């Protein structure tokens, strides 16, 4: 092979890698931006210095967020005063809470348990206290059975599922 041929092969390989990386990144961006259609919407409001969560049925909780494992959720995040940032480190969720606009992010919690919710944008004197608790519960009843993954269905009992997770 001459120099020119080797160079063209090199150029071709580089272009192929760039196209592959670009296409994959585009696909991931698309997935990140679009919540599943059956996602439940939860309104998240930051205020100095508490998080308020409003579920689809209109009920509200302050500082505590109850989700069900395996169910998709779409968070609509805003603030009533200064800029905060809604952060659940264990699920790699972080989105700014900005007064006057709604930012969205979605999540399907895949593990039950209790997790930290915190503000990740310095927002004043008690910023460090702007924490909450995410409680992810195991699905229950008929609705839960449908949501349970095939792996969980194969487990002999609920107890065994809890141990596995
Ligand atoms: Cu804050």
């Amino acid at each position: 092979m001459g120099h020119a041929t080797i160079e063209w092969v090199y150029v071709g390989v580089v272009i192929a890698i760039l196209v592959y990386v670009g296409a994959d990144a585009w696909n991931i961006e698309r997935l990140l931006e679009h919540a599943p259609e059956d996602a439940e919407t939860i309104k998240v409001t930051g205020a100095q210095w508490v998080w308020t969560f409003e579920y689809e049925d209109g009920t509200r909780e302050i500082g505590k967020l109850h989700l069900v494992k395996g169910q998709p959720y779409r968070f609509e995040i805003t603030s009533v005063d200064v800029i905060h940032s809604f952060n659940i480190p264990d699920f790699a969720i972080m989105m700014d809470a900005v007064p006057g606009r709604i930012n969205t992010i979605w999540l399907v919690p895949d593990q039950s348990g209790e997790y930290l919710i915190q503000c990740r944008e310095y927002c004043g004197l008690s910023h460090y206290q702007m924490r909450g608790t995410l409680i992810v519960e195991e699905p229950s009843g008929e609705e839960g059975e449908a949501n349970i993954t095939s792996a969980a269905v194969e487990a002999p009992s609920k107890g065994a599922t809890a141990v596995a997770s």
Side-chain angles (χ1 to χ4, degrees), residues 49 51 83-85 119 121 123 127 130:
W49 289 276
W51 291 108
I83 296 175
H84 303 275
S85 186
C119 179
E121 178 72 44
C123 59
H127 163 67
M130 192 166 166

Side-chain angles (χ1 to χ4, degrees), residues 43-62:
K43 290 179 181 156
V44 179
T45 306
Q48 285 168 319
W49 289 276
V50 288
W51 291 108
T52 304
F53 305 102
E54 185 179 329
Y55 303 92
E56 269 183 2
D57 63 5
T59 58
R60 285 184 188 182
E61 283 194 291
I62 293 173

Side-chain angles (χ1 to χ4, degrees), residues 133-161:
T133 307
L134 164 63
I135 297 126
V136 181
E137 289 159 349
E138 290 286 335
S140 60
E142 284 176 31
E143 194 189 329
E145 299 285 302
N147 283 333
I148 245 168
T149 63
S150 58
V153 170
E154 280 161 26
S157 71
K158 265 214 145 162
T161 309

Side-chain angles (χ1 to χ4, degrees), residues 31-123:
L31 288 173
L32 287 177
E33 279 167 16
H34 295 92
E37 297 211 338
D38 57 338
E40 182 182 339
T41 298
I42 294 179
K43 290 179 181 156
V44 179
T45 306
Q48 285 168 319
W49 289 276
V50 288
W51 291 108
T52 304
F53 305 102
E54 185 179 329
Y55 303 92
E56 269 183 2
D57 63 5
T59 58
R60 285 184 188 182
E61 283 194 291
I62 293 173
K64 278 193 176 149
L65 174 61
H66 284 83
L67 304 182
V68 175
K69 183 177 145 185
Q71 160 78 32
Y73 295 92
R74 180 172 175 274
F75 300 112
E76 293 186 346
I77 301 157
T78 191
S79 166
V80 293
D81 41 40
V82 300
I83 296 175
H84 303 275
S85 186
F86 179 63
N87 178 218
I88 312 172
D90 288 303
F91 289 102
I93 289 288
M94 188 157 82
M95 180 57 75
D96 278 353
V98 181
R101 61 177 285 178
I102 293 169
N103 289 333
T104 61
I105 195 166
W106 66 275
L107 165 71
V108 181
D110 58 355
Q111 278 192 309
S112 55
E114 293 198 6
Y115 304 94
L116 172 71
I117 296 170
Q118 64 182 357
C119 179
R120 194 66 170 72
E121 178 72 44
Y122 181 71
C123 59

